[in-house]
Amino acid sequence: MVQPKDGGHDLATRQVGGPAARHDADPAARHDRGPNAHGLAPNEDTPFVNLRDPARAVGPDGRPAVSHRAPLWADVPDERWNDWRWQLSNRVNTLEEVGQVLNLTEDERAGLSSPDKFRVDITPYFLSLIDPDDPNDPIRRQVIPTDCEHEAFTAMMEDSLAEDRHSPVPGLVHRYPDRVLMLVTTQCASYCRYCTRSRIVGDATQNFNRHDFEAQLDYLRRTPQVRDVLLSGGDALTLAPKVLESLLRGLREIPHIEIVRIGSRVPVFLPQRIDDELCEMLQKYHPLWMNLHFNHPNELTPEVARACDKLSRAGIPIGNQSVLLAGVNDCLHIQRALVHKLVENRIRPYYLYQCDLVEGSGHFRTPVGKGIEIMEGLRGHTSGYAVPTYMIDAPGGGGKIPVMPNYLISYSDHKVVLRNYEGYITTYEEPEHYQAHDKANCKYCQSPRAEAGQGGISGLLSGERLWIEPSGFEQTHRRGNESAHRLQDPSKWVPYGVGPIEGKAGQPLPGLEAGPTPPETSDAASTPGAPREPKFEYAPGEEPRPREGEATGWSHGELL
Ligand SMILES: *Cc1c(COP(=O)(O)O)cnc(C)c1O
Ligand code: SF4
């Protein structure tokens, strides 16, 4: 079997939005070109290529897909554009330069001209992903400053996680018993407006040097309870490869360190950086894990897919930490699209963070209920692999706290009381002003992924309610809640997924309209044409399942 059976509608819907989508997959073009992406005839010798694999996506020209490039850089030769050094040294940071790529709003002009703003620097690659005419573009909001950054809010703090107080030596945050956060640089490939560490990040004068690294390693050598070291910053992957390698070697020479992880946004801002040379270097220092930081499906471009594929092939398990940001991803449908794209790229959603109480990020904050709503809409409704843990980093330095029973002590108007793993109790103050997500102008809300037979979630998806109500109490004298059980409810019994369903949520599926097909009973099936009585009410133990001696799916599998 050579020919990939990639249904046209699947490919089209995978490319939900984003400038990347406009370029990387025109299913028609793909199929017109012939047998497969490489123009090879489908015969037994051709290697199987799954065109649905995002890392193998091809563009209309049959070459590896590329994302949109802003006209300003149209003349840059491909070798330079794909060279991470060129991308880094041509980063954009002034009002004039950004104005050549985007049509700026007054708010953004004010933000970009402010003298005391948090550092701006954006790779040409990442800036090109922004729709120049859409002021609400989700990537734009993450990297282009606006006037809102000057607004103070009551709960804000400069060092909201009290990292400096937990640092035994500069840059080393030892807050948890068995693991440390090791800040090794203040530099990033581009800068996020909501950065938790904006107090030091971006500031080259506060950067760490070899002397600091030596002090950090020395502390680790003397602290045998540390088994997990998290390299961060800033962004550890912006370090000169030799410096990064000497740090990794220094860590690996310490016998009690079991795992090393790198927290990085380089694959998002600068996927060109993930080259073979870097991967070969990294894989010498296994077990090495990596956590990336994607916030929106538009960030998962073909270039990113290939970069992450390289990292995975180098044996590095990749996770993702998102930040819940108003106006960027405070929407269940966006989050679902994001986590689905992540797992398709073999990236495991790890944490979804509540936005920290840091200066300049007030306009990004959401109520905690928004995060709970998103978690409710993911858990059970999609693969467990695709569901992150929703975390609040405790203001004042208690560490990350999951928003779940045992840890969430109380939730009332604007105040969330949480306890950490040590019993330490902290309060998170919610924003008083939250500009709710604009469903009418969100293409993900307007064309959500359909979920047939999911009565419980429909209110949640339409925003009518926040939680799914428990149901079926009347049945408690029986074994469990059978009335809500999938097998017992005719509306949930219909085989689902026949024909194109994407983008048609809210419209009844043909099968639902026509009424469900009853499960076959042996005598009705043996009399052709005989009317069949639907039988949906099963007593306990009567649910359709193979009888004694009847073949099951399992035994069938064994025969094969
Ligand atoms: C996030 C963090 C860690 C790692 O925490 P995990 O929950 O294990 O991912 C370690 N130290 C500090 C200071 C952190 O902020
Ligand atoms: S990549 Fe991370 S450290 Fe760098 S600016 Fe963004 S949030 Fe801050």
Side-chain angles (χ1 to χ4, degrees):
M1 284 301 288
V2 172
Q3 193 83 322
K5 290 190 189 133
D6 47 352
H9 85 269
D10 258 17
L11 283 166
T13 46
R14 175 168 68 89
Q15 304 297 334
V16 207
R22 285 175 235 142
H23 295 257
D24 83 345
D26 176 359
R30 244 181 230 192
H31 291 286
D32 286 352
R33 249 192 356 272
N36 69 24
H38 305 280
L40 299 171
N43 63 50
E44 297 301 311
D45 305 329
T46 325
F48 177 77
V49 175
N50 173 19
L51 291 183
R52 199 172 190 322
D53 177 353
R56 302 285 162 272
V58 286
D61 58 359
R63 308 207 2 240
V66 290
S67 47
H68 178 250
R69 195 195 291 193
L72 179 65
W73 295 293
D75 297 334
V76 177
D78 285 355
E79 313 94 77
R80 309 209 78 194
W81 179 261
N82 295 328
D83 179 348
W84 59 272
R85 292 177 186 85
W86 183 90
Q87 289 282 340
L88 272 186
S89 49
N90 285 278
R91 282 182 295 179
V92 169
N93 46 42
T94 63
L95 172 62
E96 292 67 36
E97 287 173 311
V98 181
Q100 286 180 281
V101 179
L102 308 179
N103 295 320
L104 294 172
T105 64
E106 274 317 303
D107 232 13
E108 290 171 329
R109 288 180 180 280
L112 281 162
S113 354
S114 160
D116 57 351
K117 61 180 179 301
F118 174 56
R119 177 161 166 189
V120 175
D121 245 331
I122 310 156
T123 55
Y125 156 81
F126 202 62
L127 193 61
S128 293
L129 301 180
I130 299 174
D131 177 347
D133 301 314
D134 179 7
N136 297 315
D137 182 285
I139 291 186
R140 182 172 187 145
R141 290 188 49 106
Q142 293 182 56
V143 290
I144 308 288
T146 62
D147 219 15
C148 300
E149 290 186 7
H150 284 291
E151 283 164 25
F153 57 93
T154 15
M156 82 180 190
M157 291 176 262
E158 195 195 20
D159 178 13
S160 76
L161 310 178
E163 290 187 332
D164 296 343
R165 267 199 286 125
H166 286 89
S167 299
V169 293
L172 202 74
V173 188
H174 194 175
R175 170 176 297 144
Y176 296 99
D178 70 339
R179 55 206 189 279
V180 295
L181 173 68
M182 186 168 166
L183 305 179
V184 292
T185 175
T186 59
Q187 304 298 296
C188 295
S190 300
Y191 294 90
C192 317
R193 305 322 299 165
Y194 50 85
C195 179
T196 295
R197 294 197 193 100
S198 53
R199 69 185 186 284
I200 51 164
V201 162
D203 185 348
T205 66
Q206 290 201 57
N207 213 347
F208 302 95
N209 55 37
R210 280 173 189 277
H211 182 75
D212 297 315
F213 299 154
E214 205 29 64
Q216 293 173 332
L217 288 171
D218 194 48
Y219 175 84
L220 293 174
R221 285 181 204 114
R222 290 184 283 112
T223 316
Q225 72 265 36
V226 174
R227 44 162 288 282
D228 173 0
V229 176
L230 165 48
L231 289 179
S232 184
D235 197 318
L237 290 188
T238 62
L239 286 176
K242 284 218 169 74
V243 177
L244 179 58
E245 176 154 19
S246 75
L247 271 168
L248 289 170
R249 188 175 306 132
L251 289 170
R252 280 291 169 228
E253 279 163 6
I254 305 175
H256 55 262
I257 291 176
E258 296 167 7
I259 60 170
V260 175
R261 355 177 194 173
I262 298 180
S264 175
R265 226 187 166 192
V266 158
V268 186
F269 289 139
L270 186 65
Q272 298 80 5
R273 177 68 189 92
I274 310 302
D275 54 18
D276 294 336
E277 198 187 336
L278 179 72
C279 290
E280 269 160 38
M281 186 276 276
L282 292 174
Q283 66 186 336
K284 288 194 268 174
Y285 300 96
H286 273 312
L288 181 67
W289 294 59
M290 215 178 259
N291 256 335
L292 309 183
H293 172 177
F294 293 94
N295 291 322
H296 193 279
N298 285 5
E299 293 163 354
L300 286 138
T301 63
E303 289 87 348
V304 164
R306 292 191 290 267
C308 293
D309 183 61
K310 275 192 201 296
L311 291 170
S312 294
R313 282 166 194 271
I316 304 170
I318 316 177
N320 183 59
Q321 322 198 89
S322 296
V323 183
L324 182 52
L325 298 166
V328 174
N329 59 13
D330 54 340
C331 161
L332 169 58
H333 301 295
I334 293 178
Q335 291 283 347
R336 282 223 280 188
L338 171 64
V339 296
H340 287 162
K341 274 200 161 187
L342 288 170
V343 293
E344 228 189 330
N345 282 283
R346 288 175 282 162
I347 304 169
R348 168 78 157 95
Y350 181 60
Y351 288 157
L352 171 64
Y353 284 112
Q354 182 69 8
C355 188
D356 289 329
L357 304 173
V358 72
E359 265 181 62
S361 63
H363 57 294
F364 283 122
R365 297 180 58 219
T366 65
V368 172
K370 179 51 81 174
I372 294 175
E373 175 193 309
I374 289 167
M375 295 311 297
E376 172 89 76
L378 293 177
R379 176 61 69 195
H381 298 276
T382 191
S383 327
Y385 277 136
V387 183
T389 307
Y390 179 34
M391 301 295 248
I392 299 184
D393 217 331
K400 292 178 263 279
I401 306 182
V403 182
M404 53 170 72
N406 281 20
Y407 303 94
L408 181 62
I409 296 178
S410 95
Y411 183 7
S412 59
D413 252 6
H414 297 314
K415 282 229 189 327
V416 185
V417 182
L418 303 144
R419 81 138 170 87
N420 79 351
Y421 66 101
E422 301 164 304
Y424 165 91
I425 290 174
T426 184
T427 303
Y428 177 89
E429 252 180 79
E430 291 197 309
E432 280 165 30
H433 309 287
Y434 165 61
Q435 170 98 46
H437 176 61
D438 181 3
K439 294 189 164 71
N441 288 310
C442 170
K443 64 178 176 232
Y444 296 87
C445 288
Q446 294 310 310
S447 181
R449 192 183 164 86
E451 264 199 66
Q454 294 287 294
I457 198 181
S458 62
L460 186 74
L461 294 178
S462 65
E464 281 156 27
R465 52 192 155 109
L466 210 53
W467 286 285
I468 293 172
E469 286 167 32
S471 62
F473 291 117
E474 72 281 2
Q475 298 276 337
T476 47
H477 61 282
R478 293 235 219 123
R479 184 166 50 87
N481 171 6
E482 281 137 359
S483 71
H485 192 280
R486 228 185 147 80
L487 286 179
Q488 299 290 330
D489 179 345
S491 75
K492 296 180 179 179
W493 181 229
V494 184
Y496 174 58
V498 183
I501 52 155
E502 299 274 358
K504 296 203 177 155
Q507 294 173 23
L509 294 166
L512 289 175
E513 269 179 323
T517 313
E520 287 188 0
T521 55
S522 51
D523 29 320
S526 59
T527 326
R532 280 185 279 171
E533 279 300 310
K535 186 174 184 244
F536 295 121
E537 287 298 322
Y538 297 101
E542 279 186 14
E543 293 93 342
R545 54 169 72 109
R547 276 172 290 234
E548 275 296 303
E550 228 173 46
T552 62
W554 177 245
S555 61
H556 184 58
E558 277 178 342
L559 285 177
L560 294 176

